[in-house]
Amino acid sequence: MKILTFDIEDWFHIEFSNSIGIWNSYQPRIQQNLESILELLQKRNQTATFFCLGWIADQYPELIKKIDGLGYEIGSHSFDHKLIYTKTRAEFDEDLKKSLFSIEDAIGKKVKYFRAPAFSINDKTLWFFEILNKYGIDIDASVFPGKRDFGGFPAFSPARPVIIEYKGIRLKEFPVNMHKLLGFSFVFSGGGYFRMLPYFLLKKFSESSDYLMTYLHPRDLDYEQPLLAGLTTTRRFKSYVGLKSCYSKLDKLLIDFKFIDLSMADHEIDWQKTDTINL
Ligand SMILES: [Zn+2]
């Protein structure tokens, strides 16, 4: 099972601590970058799930309508793109409500999927699942099944779709998958590793993954984007490495593999026979 997903945000959203107030001072690039993704998907006859920032739906409702109009499904990626573990339960509740309002207002449909910014949930933010449930979201793709800077949930390793049970709530979870090589685990289906690794390795790792969950961004395909000021050296490297080759690698991946979206994955899985993780 290979699932194609995109997180719909602009180039300046890589800085999680930036406040919404300054986002309008940056030159937007989301329209052109999203157009190139949509063209590529149409050309390769592939489907995908788009996790959109509520802020993007608020600013560019016509873009979100276009994604929906082309038949792609839309989930939420929060409103303000802040890391979940830096929020209180009440702050996340408010933010999710706001993002759903913006997206649902744009497309006129109920949103059923969610992905946390930077997979930033962990065992200290279990209220996160209660809030998703409160707003009728029963499919989540926010788990990073290992240790990392921004959260992480080692209990979900090895990554596969699972049922989460917490305080009587049941959710379907689609974690991002990790690849193990020489004792080192990493995620190659998005972010810096996707942009940095040569295509033959991405293809090899994808072939050996029974379950593949991608997470790409419009900015990953945009090598002409400006450099965001104020990033640490490590973040700057991770955020800008390999931009030039990313579009052609994604194109090759779309030629070599058939991807499905989350609703297709949901239908393919026999949830009665799927593992449950009790939190
Ligand atoms: Zn994001």
Side-chain angles (χ1 to χ4, degrees), residues 220-240:
D220 290 326
L221 311 178
D222 178 12
Y223 65 88
E224 289 177 320
Q225 67 190 281
L227 197 62
L228 191 68
L231 295 176
T232 62
T233 314
T234 316
R235 289 255 17 239
R236 193 166 63 221
F237 174 75
K238 280 185 185 170
S239 304
Y240 291 89

Side-chain angles (χ1 to χ4, degrees), residues 104-231:
E104 291 173 358
D105 194 48
I107 62 174
K109 285 178 190 164
K110 170 91 186 81
V111 169
K112 297 183 290 184
Y113 314 106
F114 188 81
R115 171 173 289 145
F119 305 99
S120 56
I121 57 167
N122 57 32
D123 58 5
K124 293 179 183 66
T125 60
L126 296 182
W127 40 258
F128 165 82
F129 298 111
E130 290 179 84
I131 310 290
L132 293 188
N133 180 262
K134 176 179 170 185
Y135 290 100
I137 290 177
D138 59 0
I139 296 188
D140 178 57
S142 302
V143 164
F144 184 98
K147 282 189 178 160
R148 69 183 316 231
D149 296 345
F150 296 129
F153 243 130
F156 285 80
S157 179
R160 73 287 187 204
V162 286
I163 301 271
I164 289 177
E165 271 194 12
Y166 177 64
K167 290 191 175 175
I169 291 166
R170 282 168 69 84
L171 272 115
K172 295 165 182 169
E173 180 62 46
F174 289 87
V176 68
N177 61 297
M178 299 184 82
H179 190 78
K180 259 195 185 141
L181 191 68
L182 307 170
F184 178 60
S185 292
F186 57 95
V187 170
F188 67 90
S189 56
Y193 280 102
F194 185 90
R195 281 182 269 110
M196 200 163 52
L197 291 169
Y199 182 69
F200 79 92
L201 283 181
L202 290 176
K203 185 177 176 183
K204 195 176 158 198
F205 296 165
S206 300
E207 279 167 346
S208 64
S209 306
D210 292 337
Y211 167 69
L212 180 70
M213 167 59 83
T214 61
Y215 69 104
L216 293 143
H217 306 80
R219 64 168 296 275
D220 290 326
L221 311 178
D222 178 12
Y223 65 88
E224 289 177 320
Q225 67 190 281
L227 197 62
L228 191 68
L231 295 176

Side-chain angles (χ1 to χ4, degrees), residues 7 9 13 16 53 77 81 116-118 217:
D7 296 351
E9 56 195 59
H13 288 122
F16 299 102
L53 278 190
H77 188 46
H81 209 237
H217 306 80

